[in-house]
Amino acid sequence: MCQESTGEKHMAKAAFLGLGVMGYPMAGHLQSAGHEVTVYNRTAAKAEAWVKEHGGASAPTPREAAAGAEFVMSCVGNDDDLRSVCLGPDGAFAGMAKGGVFVDHTTVSASVTRELFEAAAELGISFVDAPISGGQAGAENGVLSVMCGGETEAYARAEPIIDAYARICRRIGDSGAGQMTKMCNQIAIAGLVQGLAESLHFAEKAGLDGRAVVEVISQGAAGSWQMANRYETMLDDHFEHGFAVDWMRKDLGICLDAADETGASLPVTALVDQFYKDVQKMGGGRWDTSSLFKRLKSAG
């Protein structure tokens, strides 16, 4: 489905539901790639602004946005938000034709993903869970990592459409596998950010130049994306970049619930989740996740 017989890419009629900091640019990349995009956002003014900037069209309900679309993408807030745009008389499923593919980029629980997979299947619709990593910058630059779960055929159809905003896109397994992979991503990030925060805090307390320290250690085994992209803003006490603490706590809650279900042991993740709770108490719910460093500084 990726290529037409002429060798040209298939241009699809698509809908995009949810125009937050991630969805807004992602939908823009779809339109720029030549797809025919209709957007829906809970706040209509955001959808109108998107149309003014990118072209395409907007619709007042998910159902109307999804009408006639081959592919419907969503990027909303949480499990309940996702249910609300999918189900009910004004939900996207009610507007989609049999054979359509719904691709969800929200980070949600694997249980709601499987619930919606089954609901879609009863209507002859395919559902692919496709959470994303790469932050706002990744969305704006069209270089997100997309981890997918769902049926092989549905993924194969959706992958060339997702390519408009992805650096890498992979099917990991059946429905829910994408969400479980995103949990692996968040678990890894939580430990990395705390480790980086402690390293910089230690350097500061030892009277070292943090920038000089990172210049050296980043070239060795300690190097990471977090170190390369966050150490300077952390040292500058600037936490307005990337993924908010409130959203990270939502995701880590999903991780810890899933760990209980699967029997996985996540002691570091549970600890860092409590550290993020401390950041929220400091008034930093909208700070980015690197604000773990600010927590350490405030503790002395």
Side-chain angles (χ1 to χ4, degrees):
M1 297 297 293
C2 178
Q3 302 291 325
E4 300 287 3
S5 58
T6 59
E8 297 179 355
K9 283 189 174 181
H10 173 61
M11 292 300 123
K13 181 172 171 56
F16 205 106
L17 316 177
L19 300 175
V21 294
M22 304 294 283
Y24 193 101
M26 290 165 70
H29 286 299
L30 274 182
Q31 183 73 11
S32 297
H35 302 298
E36 182 185 343
V37 182
T38 299
V39 297
Y40 162 80
N41 194 66
R42 192 161 47 188
T43 305
K46 181 73 74 72
E48 292 163 10
W50 185 92
V51 171
K52 186 174 181 181
E53 181 177 348
H54 296 287
S58 67
T61 66
R63 177 177 181 162
E64 290 170 85
E70 300 168 69
F71 300 92
V72 179
M73 275 68 177
S74 63
C75 192
V76 292
N78 55 37
D79 286 24
D80 289 339
D81 293 333
L82 181 59
R83 285 191 186 95
S84 74
V85 298
C86 289
L87 304 175
D90 288 327
F93 289 0
M96 294 177 71
K98 287 186 178 181
V101 180
F102 192 101
V103 179
D104 176 41
H105 293 302
T106 317
T107 298
V108 292
S109 67
S111 60
V112 77
T113 289
R114 295 179 185 122
E115 170 194 325
L116 294 172
F117 175 89
E118 295 295 339
E122 291 178 8
L123 299 170
I125 300 165
S126 297
F127 188 98
V128 176
D129 51 300
I132 50 182
S133 180
Q136 184 176 347
E140 291 172 350
N141 295 320
V143 290
L144 294 167
S145 296
V146 188
M147 48 219 87
C148 300
E151 296 170 338
T152 303
E153 190 270 342
Y155 170 79
R157 290 173 58 199
E159 193 274 335
I161 312 301
I162 295 170
D163 186 62
Y165 41 78
R167 182 201 302 274
I168 184 171
C169 182
R170 291 287 184 272
R171 177 183 178 271
I172 308 300
D174 294 335
S175 181
Q179 294 297 345
M180 298 296 267
T181 303
K182 178 60 183 288
M183 293 176 210
C184 295
N185 183 81
Q186 302 304 71
I187 290 163
I189 287 173
L192 285 170
V193 177
Q194 179 64 17
L196 175 59
E198 291 185 16
S199 176
L200 294 177
H201 177 63
F202 180 85
E204 192 172 77
K205 287 295 188 181
L208 305 175
D209 179 343
R211 286 171 171 77
V213 169
V214 170
E215 182 182 4
V216 176
I217 70 172
S218 64
Q219 303 306 307
S224 68
W225 186 96
Q226 294 293 336
M227 183 175 287
N229 289 274
R230 291 289 175 262
Y231 86 93
E232 287 193 283
T233 51
M234 290 165 80
L235 291 171
D236 289 339
D237 198 39
H238 189 204
F239 304 104
E240 303 301 322
H241 297 82
F243 196 58
V245 166
D246 287 343
W247 291 111
M248 187 60 159
R249 284 215 72 208
K250 179 208 77 169
D251 289 1
L252 294 182
I254 294 172
C255 294
L256 294 168
D257 287 345
D260 286 341
E261 294 169 10
T262 60
S265 178
L266 303 179
V268 172
T269 304
L271 187 61
V272 176
D273 178 56
Q274 292 306 302
F275 294 161
Y276 279 127
K277 185 176 182 179
D278 293 342
V279 174
Q280 288 176 318
K281 290 177 180 176
M282 292 167 60
R286 301 306 300 169
W287 296 341
D288 70 60
T289 52
S290 68
S291 56
L292 288 172
F293 180 58
K294 194 174 184 74
R295 174 189 169 275
L296 289 169
K297 289 184 72 173
S298 69

